[in-house]
Amino acid sequence: MKKIWLAFLAAVIALGIRGCSKEPEKKEEGNDNPLVIVSDGRKQDTTAQEKSPFDEPVDIDISEMSGTVVYSTVYDMMWNPENYVGKKIRITGYFALGEDQNGRQLFGCIVPDATACCSQGIEFVLKNDRKYPDDYPKPGQWMILQGEFTYYDEDNIIRNLALINADMKLADKQGYVN
């Protein structure tokens, strides 16, 4: 059974990488305007939108990956977190609010996959001692988040992924800053 799962995961990753190898945007030929043709054929004006709103580079930018590769990457983070500890990660998703079994308030970013069936939540702790609700989005609001990856296990049962010392910007569903 383990071999079947490993083969399945390898196939998913291979398909995702193949899908990501396509050039996602291209400028229209003979035209210097800021319109680009995105992968689904729509024209989009990029002058008012900023895709990477942070000054700092990241090690892994999940916000730029296809849904299939997002799923594969977050799945790998869950099962092999030691490979990601200390890396700077950028994600796009929507804000979720929760509480652990001890009543501690948790803030999360729900990262949807290609079919939105297997979304994963990543907990985060913002820099600069921010206060809820004033310094946080409304539940369900889209955001771009980047921070240092870590994880912890609760009672050796539940593995929690987290971004610490995180920065956050509000965004639309495609990851563009509002």
Side-chain angles (χ1 to χ4, degrees):
M1 183 70 172
K2 188 174 182 180
K3 288 182 182 180
I4 293 171
W5 270 108
L6 290 174
F8 174 75
L9 182 59
V12 168
I13 291 171
L15 287 172
I17 291 171
R18 184 172 166 255
C20 283
S21 66
K22 296 177 187 173
E23 186 176 319
E25 299 180 349
K26 57 186 173 193
K27 288 195 180 237
E28 289 185 315
E29 290 183 33
N31 191 349
D32 289 334
N33 71 25
L35 288 179
V36 295
I37 300 172
V38 292
S39 59
D40 65 0
R42 293 178 295 121
K43 291 181 181 178
Q44 185 170 12
D45 183 355
T46 59
T47 54
Q49 297 178 325
E50 183 181 349
K51 188 68 174 176
S52 298
F54 301 102
D55 294 332
E56 305 163 28
V58 292
D59 298 308
I60 301 170
D61 191 345
I62 295 173
S63 72
E64 295 289 326
M65 296 177 180
S66 74
T68 304
V69 179
V70 166
Y71 173 79
S72 300
T73 302
V74 176
Y75 182 88
D76 190 53
M77 291 171 138
M78 182 64 104
W79 291 102
N80 301 297
E82 61 281 350
N83 295 338
Y84 299 91
V85 170
K87 293 189 186 242
K88 189 84 146 188
I89 310 284
R90 181 179 299 139
I91 59 176
T92 300
Y94 56 91
F95 179 68
L97 185 61
E99 193 173 281
D100 70 8
Q101 60 192 18
N102 299 318
R104 183 175 66 102
Q105 196 165 45
L106 302 173
F107 306 106
C109 182
I110 306 301
V111 182
D113 64 327
T115 61
C117 72
C118 307
S119 300
Q120 279 286 348
I122 298 179
E123 184 181 339
F124 67 91
V125 178
L126 293 177
K127 289 182 187 177
N128 303 328
D129 228 6
R130 305 235 185 118
K131 304 289 181 219
Y132 183 80
D134 298 338
D135 300 323
Y136 288 82
K138 294 180 175 98
Q141 191 168 11
W142 284 84
M143 62 183 175
I144 299 174
L145 186 70
Q146 75 178 33
E148 181 184 332
F149 181 85
T150 192
Y151 75 101
Y152 61 96
D153 293 331
E154 283 184 55
D155 302 325
N156 292 324
I157 299 172
I158 300 171
R159 173 155 297 155
N160 295 302
L161 308 180
L163 296 179
I164 58 173
N165 298 316
D167 289 312
M168 174 196 60
K169 304 265 183 179
L170 298 180
D172 66 12
K173 193 172 181 177
Q174 287 77 36
Y176 289 100
V177 174
N178 288 334

Tab-separated table of all heavy atoms in Angstrom, residues 21-76:
chain	number	residue	atom	x	y	z
A	21	SER	N	5.662	24.243	-15.806
A	21	SER	CA	6.745	24.590	-16.717
A	21	SER	C	6.276	25.498	-17.843
A	21	SER	O	7.074	26.095	-18.529
A	21	SER	CB	7.375	23.323	-17.301
A	21	SER	OG	6.438	22.652	-18.120
A	22	LYS	N	4.961	25.619	-18.025
A	22	LYS	CA	4.446	26.516	-19.043
A	22	LYS	C	4.652	27.951	-18.592
A	22	LYS	O	4.550	28.264	-17.418
A	22	LYS	CB	2.950	26.278	-19.256
A	22	LYS	CG	2.645	24.913	-19.783
A	22	LYS	CD	1.150	24.734	-19.895
A	22	LYS	CE	0.817	23.313	-20.264
A	22	LYS	NZ	-0.601	23.047	-20.215
A	23	GLU	N	4.889	28.837	-19.544
A	23	GLU	CA	5.053	30.239	-19.218
A	23	GLU	C	3.686	30.806	-18.867
A	23	GLU	O	2.776	30.793	-19.669
A	23	GLU	CB	5.627	30.972	-20.433
A	23	GLU	CG	5.960	32.409	-20.146
A	23	GLU	CD	6.604	33.060	-21.341
A	23	GLU	OE1	7.442	32.411	-21.990
A	23	GLU	OE2	6.249	34.205	-21.626
A	24	PRO	N	3.475	31.300	-17.623
A	24	PRO	CA	2.161	31.704	-17.204
A	24	PRO	C	1.679	33.001	-17.843
A	24	PRO	O	0.502	33.195	-18.033
A	24	PRO	CB	2.298	31.877	-15.692
A	24	PRO	CG	3.729	32.136	-15.472
A	24	PRO	CD	4.450	31.400	-16.558
A	25	GLU	N	2.576	33.909	-18.168
A	25	GLU	CA	2.179	35.178	-18.732
A	25	GLU	C	3.116	35.528	-19.880
A	25	GLU	O	4.270	35.167	-19.878
A	25	GLU	CB	2.259	36.287	-17.684
A	25	GLU	CG	1.361	36.083	-16.509
A	25	GLU	CD	1.479	37.222	-15.510
A	25	GLU	OE1	2.405	38.047	-15.642
A	25	GLU	OE2	0.647	37.284	-14.616
A	26	LYS	N	2.587	36.238	-20.846
A	26	LYS	CA	3.453	36.751	-21.899
A	26	LYS	C	2.908	38.090	-22.348
A	26	LYS	O	1.709	38.316	-22.375
A	26	LYS	CB	3.540	35.770	-23.064
A	26	LYS	CG	2.204	35.424	-23.683
A	26	LYS	CD	2.348	34.350	-24.727
A	26	LYS	CE	0.965	33.924	-25.191
A	26	LYS	NZ	0.954	32.733	-25.945
A	27	LYS	N	3.817	38.972	-22.680
A	27	LYS	CA	3.398	40.283	-23.171
A	27	LYS	C	2.912	40.147	-24.601
A	27	LYS	O	3.409	39.332	-25.355
A	27	LYS	CB	4.565	41.266	-23.114
A	27	LYS	CG	4.908	41.684	-21.713
A	27	LYS	CD	5.784	42.901	-21.755
A	27	LYS	CE	6.089	43.284	-20.345
A	27	LYS	NZ	5.702	44.616	-20.021
A	28	GLU	N	1.922	40.984	-24.920
A	28	GLU	CA	1.455	40.991	-26.294
A	28	GLU	C	2.558	41.539	-27.177
A	28	GLU	O	3.213	42.527	-26.844
A	28	GLU	CB	0.209	41.874	-26.421
A	28	GLU	CG	-1.011	41.277	-25.767
A	28	GLU	CD	-2.238	42.136	-26.017
A	28	GLU	OE1	-2.153	43.373	-25.888
A	28	GLU	OE2	-3.273	41.555	-26.363
A	29	GLU	N	2.776	40.902	-28.309
A	29	GLU	CA	3.831	41.331	-29.219
A	29	GLU	C	3.486	42.680	-29.833
A	29	GLU	O	2.345	42.964	-30.168
A	29	GLU	CB	4.028	40.288	-30.309
A	29	GLU	CG	4.649	39.020	-29.771
A	29	GLU	CD	4.907	38.020	-30.873
A	29	GLU	OE1	5.202	38.428	-32.007
A	29	GLU	OE2	4.818	36.820	-30.575
A	30	GLY	N	4.523	43.519	-29.986
A	30	GLY	CA	4.354	44.807	-30.629
A	30	GLY	C	3.577	45.806	-29.796
A	30	GLY	O	3.074	46.775	-30.312
A	31	ASN	N	3.456	45.571	-28.508
A	31	ASN	CA	2.680	46.458	-27.683
A	31	ASN	C	3.386	46.585	-26.338
A	31	ASN	O	3.599	45.603	-25.652
A	31	ASN	CB	1.275	45.877	-27.504
A	31	ASN	CG	0.322	46.870	-26.876
A	31	ASN	OD1	0.733	47.916	-26.387
A	31	ASN	ND2	-0.954	46.531	-26.888
A	32	ASP	N	3.737	47.803	-25.940
A	32	ASP	CA	4.443	48.009	-24.684
A	32	ASP	C	3.502	48.327	-23.532
A	32	ASP	O	3.932	48.734	-22.473
A	32	ASP	CB	5.460	49.154	-24.819
A	32	ASP	CG	6.631	48.741	-25.687
A	32	ASP	OD1	6.913	47.531	-25.755
A	32	ASP	OD2	7.243	49.634	-26.288
A	33	ASN	N	2.194	48.146	-23.734
A	33	ASN	CA	1.284	48.447	-22.635
A	33	ASN	C	1.369	47.369	-21.564
A	33	ASN	O	1.906	46.300	-21.795
A	33	ASN	CB	-0.156	48.649	-23.150
A	33	ASN	CG	-0.813	47.359	-23.609
A	33	ASN	OD1	-0.456	46.278	-23.175
A	33	ASN	ND2	-1.791	47.484	-24.473
A	34	PRO	N	0.841	47.644	-20.387
A	34	PRO	CA	0.976	46.704	-19.280
A	34	PRO	C	0.012	45.525	-19.322
A	34	PRO	O	-0.095	44.797	-18.347
A	34	PRO	CB	0.698	47.584	-18.059
A	34	PRO	CG	-0.195	48.655	-18.564
A	34	PRO	CD	0.240	48.903	-19.979
A	35	LEU	N	-0.694	45.321	-20.440
A	35	LEU	CA	-1.580	44.172	-20.529
A	35	LEU	C	-0.767	42.905	-20.754
A	35	LEU	O	0.180	42.884	-21.528
A	35	LEU	CB	-2.578	44.323	-21.679
A	35	LEU	CG	-3.686	45.346	-21.498
A	35	LEU	CD1	-4.557	45.379	-22.748
A	35	LEU	CD2	-4.532	45.041	-20.284
A	36	VAL	N	-1.138	41.867	-20.074
A	36	VAL	CA	-0.527	40.563	-20.290
A	36	VAL	C	-1.641	39.581	-20.588
A	36	VAL	O	-2.781	39.781	-20.214
A	36	VAL	CB	0.288	40.079	-19.073
A	36	VAL	CG1	1.481	40.969	-18.831
A	36	VAL	CG2	-0.567	39.973	-17.835
A	37	ILE	N	-1.294	38.517	-21.284
A	37	ILE	CA	-2.245	37.447	-21.528
A	37	ILE	C	-1.919	36.356	-20.530
A	37	ILE	O	-0.826	35.809	-20.537
A	37	ILE	CB	-2.144	36.923	-22.974
A	37	ILE	CG1	-2.428	38.063	-23.952
A	37	ILE	CG2	-3.117	35.760	-23.181
A	37	ILE	CD1	-2.159	37.701	-25.392
A	38	VAL	N	-2.860	36.072	-19.639
A	38	VAL	CA	-2.622	35.046	-18.637
A	38	VAL	C	-2.978	33.687	-19.205
A	38	VAL	O	-3.555	33.585	-20.279
A	38	VAL	CB	-3.391	35.333	-17.318
A	38	VAL	CG1	-2.812	36.553	-16.626
A	38	VAL	CG2	-4.862	35.523	-17.554
A	39	SER	N	-2.618	32.623	-18.498
A	39	SER	CA	-2.674	31.267	-19.043
A	39	SER	C	-4.045	30.848	-19.543
A	39	SER	O	-4.140	30.009	-20.419
A	39	SER	CB	-2.173	30.265	-18.010
A	39	SER	OG	-2.967	30.353	-16.849
A	40	ASP	N	-5.140	31.447	-19.027
A	40	ASP	CA	-6.454	31.049	-19.522
A	40	ASP	C	-6.921	31.913	-20.691
A	40	ASP	O	-8.053	31.833	-21.118
A	40	ASP	CB	-7.490	31.052	-18.400
A	40	ASP	CG	-7.742	32.447	-17.834
A	40	ASP	OD1	-7.110	33.413	-18.303
A	40	ASP	OD2	-8.571	32.554	-16.919
A	41	GLY	N	-6.029	32.766	-21.236
A	41	GLY	CA	-6.329	33.556	-22.418
A	41	GLY	C	-6.888	34.940	-22.118
A	41	GLY	O	-7.052	35.741	-23.025
A	42	ARG	N	-7.206	35.244	-20.866
A	42	ARG	CA	-7.737	36.565	-20.521
A	42	ARG	C	-6.624	37.608	-20.600
A	42	ARG	O	-5.469	37.316	-20.355
A	42	ARG	CB	-8.286	36.586	-19.085
A	42	ARG	CG	-9.497	35.747	-18.856
A	42	ARG	CD	-9.933	35.789	-17.382
A	42	ARG	NE	-8.918	35.180	-16.552
A	42	ARG	CZ	-8.293	35.793	-15.560
A	42	ARG	NH1	-8.547	37.031	-15.254
A	42	ARG	NH2	-7.372	35.151	-14.845
A	43	LYS	N	-7.003	38.840	-20.911
A	43	LYS	CA	-6.058	39.951	-20.850
A	43	LYS	C	-6.207	40.601	-19.491
A	43	LYS	O	-7.314	40.760	-18.982
A	43	LYS	CB	-6.353	40.972	-21.945
A	43	LYS	CG	-6.061	40.446	-23.331
A	43	LYS	CD	-6.333	41.489	-24.371
A	43	LYS	CE	-6.056	40.935	-25.750
A	43	LYS	NZ	-6.351	41.899	-26.797
A	44	GLN	N	-5.086	40.966	-18.891
A	44	GLN	CA	-5.131	41.524	-17.556
A	44	GLN	C	-4.188	42.714	-17.474
A	44	GLN	O	-3.049	42.653	-17.933
A	44	GLN	CB	-4.713	40.454	-16.553
A	44	GLN	CG	-4.845	40.880	-15.135
A	44	GLN	CD	-4.640	39.690	-14.209
A	44	GLN	OE1	-4.205	38.628	-14.602
A	44	GLN	NE2	-4.956	39.889	-12.954
A	45	ASP	N	-4.665	43.819	-16.890
A	45	ASP	CA	-3.853	45.007	-16.692
A	45	ASP	C	-3.096	44.867	-15.383
A	45	ASP	O	-3.690	44.708	-14.322
A	45	ASP	CB	-4.752	46.249	-16.638
A	45	ASP	CG	-3.971	47.537	-16.509
A	45	ASP	OD1	-2.735	47.479	-16.372
A	45	ASP	OD2	-4.600	48.607	-16.564
A	46	THR	N	-1.777	44.918	-15.447
A	46	THR	CA	-0.961	44.712	-14.246
A	46	THR	C	-0.437	46.013	-13.643
A	46	THR	O	0.310	45.970	-12.680
A	46	THR	CB	0.249	43.816	-14.579
A	46	THR	OG1	1.009	44.443	-15.599
A	46	THR	CG2	-0.200	42.440	-14.997
A	47	THR	N	-0.827	47.163	-14.170
A	47	THR	CA	-0.286	48.414	-13.641
A	47	THR	C	-0.737	48.687	-12.217
A	47	THR	O	0.012	49.206	-11.416
A	47	THR	CB	-0.687	49.618	-14.515
A	47	THR	OG1	-2.109	49.626	-14.654
A	47	THR	CG2	-0.017	49.571	-15.861
A	48	ALA	N	-1.967	48.338	-11.871
A	48	ALA	CA	-2.484	48.654	-10.550
A	48	ALA	C	-2.318	47.495	-9.574
A	48	ALA	O	-2.725	47.597	-8.442
A	48	ALA	CB	-3.962	49.026	-10.667
A	49	GLN	N	-1.734	46.414	-10.026
A	49	GLN	CA	-1.631	45.254	-9.168
A	49	GLN	C	-0.176	44.897	-8.907
A	49	GLN	O	0.671	45.000	-9.779
A	49	GLN	CB	-2.335	44.055	-9.808
A	49	GLN	CG	-3.815	44.307	-9.970
A	49	GLN	CD	-4.492	43.145	-10.631
A	49	GLN	OE1	-3.913	42.498	-11.489
A	49	GLN	NE2	-5.718	42.883	-10.245
A	50	GLU	N	0.066	44.477	-7.699
A	50	GLU	CA	1.409	44.107	-7.290
A	50	GLU	C	1.353	42.659	-6.836
A	50	GLU	O	0.609	42.303	-5.952
A	50	GLU	CB	1.811	45.029	-6.132
A	50	GLU	CG	3.188	44.832	-5.645
A	50	GLU	CD	3.493	45.760	-4.475
A	50	GLU	OE1	2.721	46.668	-4.184
A	50	GLU	OE2	4.536	45.527	-3.851
A	51	LYS	N	2.128	41.786	-7.452
A	51	LYS	CA	2.055	40.352	-7.147
A	51	LYS	C	2.937	39.968	-5.969
A	51	LYS	O	2.580	39.089	-5.211
A	51	LYS	CB	2.446	39.551	-8.399
A	51	LYS	CG	2.241	38.068	-8.277
A	51	LYS	CD	0.794	37.684	-8.204
A	51	LYS	CE	0.650	36.185	-8.226
A	51	LYS	NZ	-0.667	35.712	-8.071
A	52	SER	N	4.094	40.579	-5.801
A	52	SER	CA	4.987	40.245	-4.685
A	52	SER	C	5.182	41.486	-3.838
A	52	SER	O	6.104	42.265	-4.062
A	52	SER	CB	6.328	39.739	-5.222
A	52	SER	OG	6.139	38.570	-5.955
A	53	PRO	N	4.334	41.678	-2.838
A	53	PRO	CA	4.324	42.934	-2.102
A	53	PRO	C	5.393	43.055	-1.024
A	53	PRO	O	5.453	44.048	-0.334
A	53	PRO	CB	2.942	42.929	-1.457
A	53	PRO	CG	2.664	41.486	-1.233
A	53	PRO	CD	3.269	40.785	-2.418
A	54	PHE	N	6.241	42.072	-0.878
A	54	PHE	CA	7.234	42.087	0.180
A	54	PHE	C	8.614	42.377	-0.396
A	54	PHE	O	8.945	41.952	-1.489
A	54	PHE	CB	7.257	40.739	0.909
A	54	PHE	CG	5.922	40.382	1.512
A	54	PHE	CD1	5.098	39.462	0.888
A	54	PHE	CD2	5.492	40.975	2.682
A	54	PHE	CE1	3.865	39.128	1.435
A	54	PHE	CE2	4.263	40.650	3.237
A	54	PHE	CZ	3.445	39.725	2.608
A	55	ASP	N	9.418	43.101	0.377
A	55	ASP	CA	10.765	43.445	-0.061
A	55	ASP	C	11.732	42.272	0.049
A	55	ASP	O	12.683	42.176	-0.703
A	55	ASP	CB	11.316	44.610	0.773
A	55	ASP	CG	10.531	45.890	0.540
A	55	ASP	OD1	9.965	46.045	-0.560
A	55	ASP	OD2	10.477	46.721	1.464
A	56	GLU	N	11.481	41.392	0.997
A	56	GLU	CA	12.405	40.298	1.279
A	56	GLU	C	12.189	39.118	0.329
A	56	GLU	O	11.065	38.748	0.049
A	56	GLU	CB	12.199	39.808	2.707
A	56	GLU	CG	12.307	40.889	3.752
A	56	GLU	CD	11.698	40.449	5.074
A	56	GLU	OE1	11.678	39.236	5.355
A	56	GLU	OE2	11.260	41.323	5.815
A	57	PRO	N	13.251	38.514	-0.159
A	57	PRO	CA	13.102	37.296	-0.971
A	57	PRO	C	12.695	36.121	-0.080
A	57	PRO	O	12.864	36.171	1.135
A	57	PRO	CB	14.494	37.083	-1.559
A	57	PRO	CG	15.418	37.755	-0.594
A	57	PRO	CD	14.645	38.907	0.001
A	58	VAL	N	12.136	35.098	-0.698
A	58	VAL	CA	11.741	33.902	0.046
A	58	VAL	C	12.447	32.689	-0.536
A	58	VAL	O	12.904	32.702	-1.674
A	58	VAL	CB	10.209	33.683	0.018
A	58	VAL	CG1	9.489	34.759	0.788
A	58	VAL	CG2	9.684	33.588	-1.394
A	59	ASP	N	12.520	31.626	0.258
A	59	ASP	CA	13.100	30.367	-0.210
A	59	ASP	C	12.108	29.586	-1.058
A	59	ASP	O	12.479	28.975	-2.053
A	59	ASP	CB	13.538	29.514	0.989
A	59	ASP	CG	14.606	30.203	1.817
A	59	ASP	OD1	15.624	30.625	1.233
A	59	ASP	OD2	14.419	30.346	3.044
A	60	ILE	N	10.829	29.606	-0.649
A	60	ILE	CA	9.788	28.874	-1.366
A	60	ILE	C	8.574	29.785	-1.490
A	60	ILE	O	8.039	30.258	-0.482
A	60	ILE	CB	9.399	27.577	-0.635
A	60	ILE	CG1	10.621	26.671	-0.495
A	60	ILE	CG2	8.265	26.859	-1.364
A	60	ILE	CD1	10.408	25.473	0.405
A	61	ASP	N	8.135	30.020	-2.729
A	61	ASP	CA	6.978	30.875	-2.979
A	61	ASP	C	5.805	30.011	-3.444
A	61	ASP	O	5.628	29.772	-4.634
A	61	ASP	CB	7.313	31.946	-4.014
A	61	ASP	CG	6.239	33.013	-4.111
A	61	ASP	OD1	5.115	32.790	-3.602
A	61	ASP	OD2	6.526	34.072	-4.689
A	62	ILE	N	5.020	29.544	-2.489
A	62	ILE	CA	3.862	28.708	-2.803
A	62	ILE	C	2.792	29.536	-3.503
A	62	ILE	O	1.990	29.010	-4.269
A	62	ILE	CB	3.321	28.044	-1.519
A	62	ILE	CG1	4.379	27.088	-0.966
A	62	ILE	CG2	2.013	27.302	-1.771
A	62	ILE	CD1	4.047	26.496	0.378
A	63	SER	N	2.785	30.851	-3.290
A	63	SER	CA	1.760	31.709	-3.895
A	63	SER	C	1.851	31.735	-5.417
A	63	SER	O	0.901	32.096	-6.087
A	63	SER	CB	1.859	33.133	-3.337
A	63	SER	OG	3.008	33.803	-3.826
A	64	GLU	N	2.972	31.350	-5.980
A	64	GLU	CA	3.169	31.361	-7.434
A	64	GLU	C	2.996	29.988	-8.074
A	64	GLU	O	3.199	29.833	-9.267
A	64	GLU	CB	4.569	31.886	-7.765
A	64	GLU	CG	4.785	33.334	-7.381
A	64	GLU	CD	4.020	34.290	-8.274
A	64	GLU	OE1	3.856	34.005	-9.473
A	64	GLU	OE2	3.578	35.320	-7.756
A	65	MET	N	2.642	28.963	-7.285
A	65	MET	CA	2.552	27.595	-7.808
A	65	MET	C	1.138	27.261	-8.271
A	65	MET	O	0.172	27.850	-7.801
A	65	MET	CB	2.954	26.604	-6.711
A	65	MET	CG	4.376	26.721	-6.257
A	65	MET	SD	4.692	25.564	-4.902
A	65	MET	CE	6.404	25.915	-4.571
A	66	SER	N	1.051	26.287	-9.157
A	66	SER	CA	-0.263	25.788	-9.573
A	66	SER	C	-0.894	25.042	-8.406
A	66	SER	O	-0.215	24.619	-7.475
A	66	SER	CB	-0.115	24.845	-10.770
A	66	SER	OG	0.411	23.602	-10.349
A	67	GLY	N	-2.208	24.850	-8.464
A	67	GLY	CA	-2.917	24.175	-7.385
A	67	GLY	C	-2.393	22.789	-7.086
A	67	GLY	O	-2.321	22.365	-5.930
A	68	THR	N	-2.001	22.051	-8.130
A	68	THR	CA	-1.487	20.694	-7.932
A	68	THR	C	-0.161	20.726	-7.188
A	68	THR	O	0.073	19.930	-6.272
A	68	THR	CB	-1.306	19.988	-9.294
A	68	THR	OG1	-2.543	20.011	-9.983
A	68	THR	CG2	-0.840	18.562	-9.108
A	69	VAL	N	0.710	21.650	-7.547
A	69	VAL	CA	2.009	21.739	-6.893
A	69	VAL	C	1.848	22.293	-5.476
A	69	VAL	O	2.573	21.892	-4.569
A	69	VAL	CB	3.007	22.568	-7.729
A	69	VAL	CG1	4.350	22.683	-7.033
A	69	VAL	CG2	3.185	21.934	-9.097
A	70	VAL	N	0.872	23.177	-5.271
A	70	VAL	CA	0.573	23.655	-3.920
A	70	VAL	C	0.250	22.463	-3.031
A	70	VAL	O	0.810	22.302	-1.951
A	70	VAL	CB	-0.597	24.664	-3.914
A	70	VAL	CG1	-1.117	24.896	-2.505
A	70	VAL	CG2	-0.178	25.975	-4.544
A	71	TYR	N	-0.662	21.610	-3.496
A	71	TYR	CA	-1.059	20.434	-2.722
A	71	TYR	C	0.160	19.563	-2.421
A	71	TYR	O	0.380	19.156	-1.291
A	71	TYR	CB	-2.111	19.626	-3.468
A	71	TYR	CG	-2.426	18.318	-2.788
A	71	TYR	CD1	-3.267	18.284	-1.682
A	71	TYR	CD2	-1.854	17.136	-3.212
A	71	TYR	CE1	-3.536	17.094	-1.027
A	71	TYR	CE2	-2.114	15.942	-2.571
A	71	TYR	CZ	-2.959	15.925	-1.478
A	71	TYR	OH	-3.213	14.747	-0.832
A	72	SER	N	0.958	19.286	-3.434
A	72	SER	CA	2.128	18.422	-3.255
A	72	SER	C	3.138	19.022	-2.288
A	72	SER	O	3.704	18.314	-1.448
A	72	SER	CB	2.807	18.169	-4.606
A	72	SER	OG	1.920	17.548	-5.489
A	73	THR	N	3.365	20.317	-2.384
A	73	THR	CA	4.341	20.979	-1.517
A	73	THR	C	3.869	20.993	-0.069
A	73	THR	O	4.628	20.657	0.843
A	73	THR	CB	4.612	22.412	-2.011
A	73	THR	OG1	5.079	22.350	-3.359
A	73	THR	CG2	5.654	23.111	-1.147
A	74	VAL	N	2.614	21.382	0.146
A	74	VAL	CA	2.104	21.428	1.521
A	74	VAL	C	2.020	20.013	2.101
A	74	VAL	O	2.312	19.798	3.276
A	74	VAL	CB	0.756	22.175	1.587
A	74	VAL	CG1	0.183	22.150	2.992
A	74	VAL	CG2	0.937	23.623	1.129
A	75	TYR	N	1.673	19.042	1.276
A	75	TYR	CA	1.656	17.639	1.720
A	75	TYR	C	3.061	17.226	2.165
A	75	TYR	O	3.239	16.610	3.219
A	75	TYR	CB	1.168	16.747	0.579
A	75	TYR	CG	1.061	15.285	0.930
A	75	TYR	CD1	-0.094	14.765	1.492
A	75	TYR	CD2	2.124	14.410	0.691
A	75	TYR	CE1	-0.199	13.429	1.824
A	75	TYR	CE2	2.034	13.065	1.023
A	75	TYR	CZ	0.863	12.577	1.584
A	75	TYR	OH	0.774	11.257	1.909
A	76	ASP	N	4.069	17.600	1.385
A	76	ASP	CA	5.448	17.271	1.753
A	76	ASP	C	5.862	17.992	3.034
A	76	ASP	O	6.573	17.432	3.869
A	76	ASP	CB	6.404	17.614	0.606
A	76	ASP	CG	7.799	17.069	0.852
A	76	ASP	OD1	7.928	15.853	1.117
A	76	ASP	OD2	8.763	17.850	0.799
